[in-house]
Amino acid sequence: MIKLQNVNKYFYKNDPREVHALCDINLKIEDGEFSLFSGSSGCGKTTLLNAIGALDSCDSGEIYIDDTEITTLSESERTELRLNELGFVFQSYNLVPVLNVEENIGFIMKLRGFSNKEIKERVLEIASLLEIDNKLKLLPNALSGGQQQRVAVARAVAAKPKIILADEPTANLDSANSEILINMMRELNEKEGVCILFASHDELIRENTKRVIELSDGALVNDYKY
Amino acid sequence: MYKLILKMAWKNSFLRPARTILVITMIAVSMSMMLAIQGLYDGMVKNMIDKNKRSDSGDISIYAKDYRVQKDIKYRIKDAKTIKEDIQKIDGIKAVVLRLQAQGLLSTARKSSFASIHGIDLKEEEDFGKFSEFLKEGEISLEKRSAIIGVELAKTLKVRIGSKLIFSTQDSSGEINSIALRVRAIIQTTNIGLDNNAIFVDIKKLHEFLGVNHKHATQIAIMIEDNRLISKIKQMYPNFDVKSFLELQPMIKQMKDMMVIFNSITFFIVMSVVFIGIFGVVYVSILDRIREFGIIIGIGMQYKYIRAQIFLESIIVGLIGYISGAFLGLILLIYLRDYGLDLSSFSDALEMWGYEAVITGTIKVSYFTSTFGAIITASALSVLIPLRKIKKLNPIEVIKAEK
């Protein structure tokens, strides 16, 4: 479970350019949710996602992942948390260019110390689910954008994290590939029970998620559950 | 995990092959040149030491007290033959020779010059220092009134093979005496003292000429296998002037030290080039991949793995450069050892300082081990600044920057 209490985040604090990026956010996200942070550009959805992902700090408030208060963690503890509890999908795929698809998918599992056998089995399982099992020996630059994003999703989900944070995962994809990706992520959510949080203004994602949390000027304005 | 890190490091090292190959070539060429220079410097000094030992002092020389200052046969070793026999019995002694030496005037019909006459036993000298290898002209022989003359002295007196000479000196009784000699050979030892002033005759003839007992000598030169024998021999003969090679040739010691300084300077310059080269490649490579590092830190890769990867990338470049440089350097050194570097056009200047016109190189394992250590150290140090940059990297900045 993710819990946010009175979370505030400023950019350019004490500067004429000061922006109140997150205003008193209070939020609870249960395990296994398939939710979206929605809103116009600059509303704070990516900032909120990064704060939950222990990538960015807050100026005040508390963020809990299960029982761990993450705003007080050291840099190395945050890295450990990201490695063990979270999975990330970025807009620009960000695969390791010198590793093939199989190694990219197994990368986080390798970092977490899984055995080669476990990695191989899991990579095959996820790659089949995401229909990239015939691309395992290829380097990322030999794949299309949609395939690369599927590899990024596979990497995020392979080590079975509790939460996957996906920031604009469909921004670089055409509508057909976007649909394939979202369907696959929904399937992962249902099959693996992994909590997936999107930050996006893609209508397709909005239509497919079970909860939409709307932000405006850093404040939480609506919270719809379907 | 480290297998994967090694794979990533290897692949990243050749992500831009032209750049990496350029740096490897730079390391290999500069290292091989440095090895060749080291080999030549050491070869020059080794040759000089070798020829000085063989032609004159050996590893140890024993003189009567005051002989080296007075240069008078009055200060000779009277039981030289017995001492020689005693020394020969010591384990680790390679060769011992007796020499009798006197200062005097060497004259032709037209010219004369100061010279020192050396009474030697050719057979013993051959065993001691392969005397015949110094031959430049003529035939090594000291039969009858034959004499062997140093190359520079021959030039000074303008004598050739077959020329007649008169050597005059004071004998043991104080009388001025002369001996007629005929040049049978001209030698070049690159020992300046001998080439400029020495004339060699048979030791028995010199004993007779100087009126000295055949058991006497002015110098006992010894070749040893183990340098620890120096102190032993010094202890055995406290009443004599027992000197090691370097004590007798302080100039050579200075030259040896100077060559160490030259080698160190060359070494430092080359290692600086290696350091800058690897630093450049690693730094640019990290700047190229800064986003990648930000992302992998973002998804949870610990700094220790990134550090290991960067170290390995640097070590890979350094190691390939080292292996190529060592291979090239070895070829150069083998060539220099077997054929030498022909500097005949500078022979006058070189020979004046006791060097040969053809300089041969030496090969020591230490060239390769010390260079290996230095290149690995340079490789390791060159990543410290790039690593600092990664350490300070905030993944969120990179993730924001991609948007």
Side-chain angles (χ1 to χ4, degrees):
Chain A
M1 186 184 68
I2 302 164
K3 193 167 83 180
L4 288 86
Q5 285 180 344
N6 305 317
V7 172
N8 283 283
K9 168 81 182 169
Y10 295 86
F11 291 123
Y12 308 110
K13 201 172 183 189
N14 302 323
D15 187 283
R17 297 173 294 169
E18 183 178 289
V19 176
H20 197 172
L22 295 177
C23 313
D24 269 329
I25 303 284
N26 287 288
L27 186 65
K28 252 186 196 176
I29 298 165
E30 299 296 333
D31 291 344
E33 279 197 23
F34 194 63
S35 304
L36 167 72
F37 294 132
S38 166
S40 56
S41 282
C43 69
K45 53 188 185 296
T46 296
T47 307
L48 183 58
L49 202 72
N50 289 338
I52 294 170
L55 285 166
D56 211 352
S57 58
C58 302
D59 292 295
S60 66
E62 290 158 2
I63 302 173
Y64 292 88
I65 292 180
D66 292 335
D67 294 326
T68 311
E69 213 286 76
I70 66 169
T71 58
T72 55
L73 298 179
S74 68
E75 198 48 57
S76 61
E77 286 169 334
R78 283 160 170 257
T79 307
E80 281 294 310
L81 177 92
R82 290 196 296 265
L83 177 66
N84 295 316
E85 308 286 339
L86 308 172
F88 293 88
V89 180
F90 302 103
Q91 181 178 330
S92 301
Y93 331 131
N94 294 316
L95 302 173
V96 181
V98 294
L99 298 182
N100 64 28
V101 169
E102 186 178 6
E103 289 160 338
N104 262 293
I105 297 174
F107 188 69
I108 292 172
M109 293 184 80
K110 200 89 182 166
L111 287 175
R112 284 180 55 181
F114 284 82
S115 71
N116 286 341
K117 189 172 172 266
E118 285 173 309
I119 294 171
K120 208 171 174 68
E121 284 170 6
R122 178 69 176 155
V123 166
L124 265 177
E125 184 188 347
I126 294 294
S128 309
L129 196 66
L130 294 173
E131 294 167 16
I132 43 173
D133 49 335
N134 57 344
K135 311 278 182 197
L136 290 179
K137 297 297 169 195
L138 297 180
L139 287 174
N141 61 12
L143 304 178
S144 68
Q147 288 167 336
Q148 286 192 55
Q149 194 60 299
R150 273 185 259 169
V151 177
V153 171
R155 178 180 68 184
V157 83
K160 296 189 176 171
K162 284 196 179 125
I163 305 154
I164 289 178
L165 304 166
D167 188 14
E168 305 280 11
T170 56
N172 289 337
L173 304 180
D174 56 36
S175 55
N177 269 310
S178 296
E179 198 168 343
I180 294 168
L181 187 84
I182 292 161
N183 288 336
M184 286 174 172
M185 289 182 86
R186 196 174 49 198
E187 205 178 328
L188 280 171
N189 168 257
E190 284 162 4
K191 275 193 176 169
E192 310 244 336
V194 58
C195 170
I196 300 180
L197 300 181
F198 293 95
S200 176
H201 40 52
D202 187 338
E203 275 305 312
L204 202 63
I205 296 179
R206 192 187 177 96
E207 285 165 16
N208 281 280
T209 46
K210 295 167 189 165
R211 182 179 176 189
V212 177
I213 299 155
E214 273 188 2
L215 291 126
S216 177
D217 294 332
L220 205 156
V221 289
N222 279 309
D223 191 347
Y224 307 106
K225 286 184 183 168
Y226 301 102
Chain B
M1 183 64 204
Y2 283 100
K3 203 175 154 192
L4 185 71
I5 297 284
L6 180 64
K7 185 179 179 181
M8 286 168 74
W10 174 262
K11 288 194 168 179
N12 279 314
S13 298
F14 291 95
L15 205 57
R16 290 179 189 266
R19 192 167 64 192
T20 307
I21 288 168
L22 193 71
V23 173
I24 288 171
T25 309
M26 187 190 77
I27 295 170
V29 170
S30 53
M31 184 186 145
S32 59
M33 289 300 150
M34 183 193 74
L35 290 176
I37 289 170
Q38 274 188 327
L40 278 179
Y41 279 164
D42 286 349
M44 278 163 88
V45 174
K46 188 175 169 249
N47 246 319
M48 192 190 244
I49 291 173
D50 178 61
K51 291 206 167 176
N52 271 274
K53 281 184 179 177
R54 282 166 49 208
S55 63
D56 188 5
S57 61
D59 293 305
I60 309 167
S61 274
I62 304 176
Y63 302 92
K65 292 265 187 208
D66 295 330
Y67 172 77
R68 287 193 310 124
V69 179
Q70 304 295 338
K71 294 278 179 190
D72 191 324
I73 55 164
K74 193 164 78 181
Y75 303 100
R76 59 187 184 270
I77 305 166
K78 294 194 173 151
D79 46 358
K81 213 163 184 178
T82 318
I83 292 172
K84 180 188 163 194
E85 283 163 7
D86 290 345
I87 291 171
Q88 276 173 328
K89 287 174 195 160
I90 302 171
D91 273 351
I93 298 291
K94 281 201 274 193
V96 187
V97 288
L98 299 183
R99 295 187 189 126
L100 187 64
Q101 191 185 338
Q103 319 286 316
L105 190 71
L106 186 64
S107 314
T108 65
R110 290 182 185 155
K111 285 192 155 233
S112 59
S113 171
F114 162 81
S116 61
I117 193 162
H118 296 246
I120 58 170
D121 180 319
L122 263 185
K123 192 183 167 303
E124 283 188 355
E125 290 291 344
E126 196 59 31
D127 295 339
F128 183 84
K130 296 192 178 103
F131 190 82
S132 59
E133 286 182 3
F134 300 129
L135 180 69
K136 188 169 171 70
E137 213 181 317
E139 181 198 347
I140 297 284
S141 168
L142 292 176
E143 282 175 5
K144 296 180 184 173
R145 290 186 175 271
S146 299
I148 297 168
I149 189 167
V151 64
E152 294 300 322
L153 184 58
K155 278 185 200 165
T156 307
L157 295 173
K158 296 190 174 161
V159 295
R160 288 178 297 182
I161 303 300
S163 298
K164 288 178 184 171
L165 296 163
I166 302 289
F167 183 81
S168 310
T169 189
Q170 210 172 18
D171 66 16
S172 59
S173 60
E175 292 296 319
I176 301 289
N177 231 330
S178 296
I179 184 169
L181 302 165
R182 190 180 288 271
V183 176
R184 285 292 291 271
I186 296 172
I187 58 163
Q188 184 170 28
T189 61
T190 64
N191 177 336
I192 306 166
L194 296 180
D195 287 350
N196 288 356
N197 301 312
I199 182 155
F200 297 87
V201 295
D202 184 71
I203 192 165
K204 286 178 198 151
K205 199 163 284 126
L206 195 60
H207 275 124
E208 210 175 289
F209 169 60
L210 296 174
V212 170
N213 186 297
H214 73 283
K215 289 179 179 171
H216 296 187
T218 51
Q219 180 192 11
I220 303 169
I222 309 161
M223 286 287 197
I224 56 175
E225 280 166 359
D226 184 347
N227 277 339
R228 282 173 295 189
L229 283 174
I230 296 173
S231 53
K232 185 177 178 180
I233 292 172
K234 279 187 175 181
Q235 280 168 3
M236 280 171 70
Y237 301 103
N239 297 324
F240 291 101
D241 185 15
V242 182
K243 295 285 177 203
S244 69
F245 170 75
L246 288 178
E247 286 171 319
L248 290 167
Q249 307 280 356
M251 275 283 285
I252 289 184
K253 187 177 182 325
Q254 277 179 2
M255 272 181 193
K256 208 175 163 186
D257 293 344
M258 223 161 75
M259 290 303 173
V260 171
I261 294 169
F262 284 156
N263 272 339
S264 306
I265 292 170
T266 316
F267 195 78
F268 177 76
I269 292 169
V270 171
M271 286 309 133
S272 303
V273 170
V274 168
F275 176 82
I276 293 166
I278 298 176
F279 171 77
V281 166
V282 173
Y283 197 66
V284 173
S285 162
I286 282 172
L287 289 181
D288 279 353
R289 292 183 287 143
I290 202 81
R291 203 178 115 238
E292 184 187 321
F293 287 119
I295 297 296
I296 58 176
I297 292 171
I299 62 175
M301 189 173 189
Q302 293 95 331
Y303 175 71
K304 66 177 180 183
Y305 292 129
I306 294 174
R307 187 177 54 203
Q309 185 189 329
I310 304 295
F311 263 116
L312 280 171
E313 283 179 31
S314 166
I315 300 284
I316 285 168
V317 173
L319 206 59
I320 296 175
Y322 169 79
I323 292 166
S324 317
F327 182 69
L328 268 178
L330 187 65
I331 291 172
L332 268 174
L333 284 171
I334 290 172
Y335 177 84
L336 289 170
R337 185 194 63 190
D338 295 349
Y339 302 101
L341 181 66
D342 191 351
L343 297 174
S344 301
S345 44
F346 307 104
S347 61
D348 286 348
L350 285 166
E351 281 162 7
M352 193 173 81
W353 289 100
Y355 295 116
E356 284 186 277
V358 178
I359 301 167
T360 51
T362 55
I363 306 175
K364 290 183 191 167
V365 176
S366 63
Y367 298 161
F368 297 93
T369 51
S370 57
T371 313
F372 176 78
I375 285 186
I376 296 302
T377 308
S379 305
L381 290 178
S382 65
V383 301
L384 294 181
I385 294 173
L387 276 178
R388 213 172 120 82
K389 193 164 179 67
I390 293 178
K391 179 98 179 157
K392 285 165 129 184
L393 187 67
N394 185 356
I396 192 65
E397 300 297 331
V398 178
I399 292 163
K400 277 181 188 167
E402 77 173 315
K403 287 207 152 194

